[in-house]
Amino acid sequence: MAASSIVFLGPPNSGKGTQAARLASRLGIPAISTGEMLRGAVAAGSELGDRVKDVMNQGLLVSDELMAEVIEDRLGQADAESGFLLDGYPRTLPQVATLDSIMERRGSAIDHVVLIDVPQKVLEARAHKRFIELGRKDDRPEVVIERLEQYRIKTEPLVNHYRERGLLREIDGDQSMEAVEAAIAEAVGA
Ligand code: ADP
């Protein structure tokens, strides 16, 4: 059987990145984090990095057009040929359409959309803790608030979209990391 193609959805500080990496390694598919890719490009000072740096540091979204180039390129690489886990893409309805057309060209489809659900209060507490502990450049409080806002406005509509397509697997993210990991594995049959 072909490997799965999975999308992870969830607000900033939902624990999405950690869980995405764990599930991907369990399934033997690459975890593709667009946030990490873009931060890598910024750190490397590449042309892409220069184009996205300011937008990212304000907590805003990189344009759908530019993200389409990034994701087409990444999903075209050999390690993603038979399956992948996307963390951070799609984030807007136009990005859903881009991903659908990529999948159609591959003669394939998304198998599962995992939503990590965490109450707003818990997200805020986690954001505060993360800021004190490490301080990623876009973890400043006002930027975190903007990222959450962008999520609510642009990404949350994807939840209903994927629910209607029967792909949504809702996970309670307000539990221990191990419990969340087990719930996700069960939901996708891993
Ligand atoms: P978060 O921790 O908020 O989930 P990520 O690490 O996934 O954030 O992404 C960090 C930043 O990278 C975003 O705030 C945004 O500027 C940019 N980014 C990542 N993925 C996308 C995308 N699919 N579309 C637009 N911008 C993106």
Side-chain angles (χ1 to χ4, degrees):
M1 204 183 91
S4 299
S5 298
I6 298 175
V7 165
F8 263 48
L9 278 182
N13 291 306
S14 59
K16 187 165 54 79
T18 306
Q19 296 297 341
R22 290 188 182 187
L23 180 65
S25 90
R26 191 188 280 252
L27 293 172
I29 54 178
I32 300 174
S33 158
T34 48
E36 260 173 40
M37 287 173 69
L38 297 174
R39 279 189 293 279
V42 171
S46 69
E47 196 200 320
L48 172 65
D50 286 343
R51 286 169 73 186
V52 302
K53 185 163 69 187
D54 292 345
V55 178
M56 287 181 74
N57 285 339
Q58 292 172 67
L60 300 174
L61 295 186
V62 173
S63 76
D64 292 333
E65 292 73 20
L66 188 50
M67 288 311 298
E69 285 178 39
V70 169
I71 208 70
E72 293 243 16
D73 183 68
R74 182 62 187 89
L75 293 183
Q77 288 169 28
D79 66 338
E81 201 172 35
S82 56
F84 52 79
L85 191 159
L86 284 179
D87 164 19
Y89 194 96
R91 248 184 170 85
T92 66
L93 287 167
Q95 292 182 11
V96 169
T98 298
L99 180 59
D100 282 342
S101 77
I102 293 173
M103 296 312 284
E104 205 173 298
R105 256 183 285 136
R106 293 162 68 111
S108 181
I110 297 298
D111 300 295
H112 307 280
V113 176
V114 173
L115 170 68
I116 306 191
D117 235 344
V118 180
Q120 177 79 21
K121 280 248 150 58
V122 176
L123 291 176
E124 283 166 10
R126 288 184 184 177
H128 184 69
K129 189 159 171 265
R130 185 155 140 185
F131 173 65
I132 290 170
E133 283 170 1
L134 345 126
R136 202 170 88 186
K137 236 198 175 158
D138 59 353
D139 269 348
R140 281 178 292 128
E142 65 274 25
V143 181
V144 171
I145 290 167
E146 185 58 53
R147 274 164 46 215
L148 251 171
E149 185 75 2
Q150 294 286 312
Y151 178 80
R152 300 273 174 241
I153 297 169
K154 297 187 175 146
T155 308
E156 221 161 51
L158 276 57
V159 171
N160 263 328
H161 173 88
Y162 282 125
R163 184 182 287 126
E164 281 162 13
R165 287 170 62 175
L167 295 176
L168 196 73
R169 320 284 178 247
E170 268 181 275
I171 305 296
D172 174 7
D174 190 13
Q175 328 175 56
S176 72
M177 287 210 277
E178 287 65 34
V180 174
E181 183 180 359
I184 294 171
E186 198 193 329
V188 305

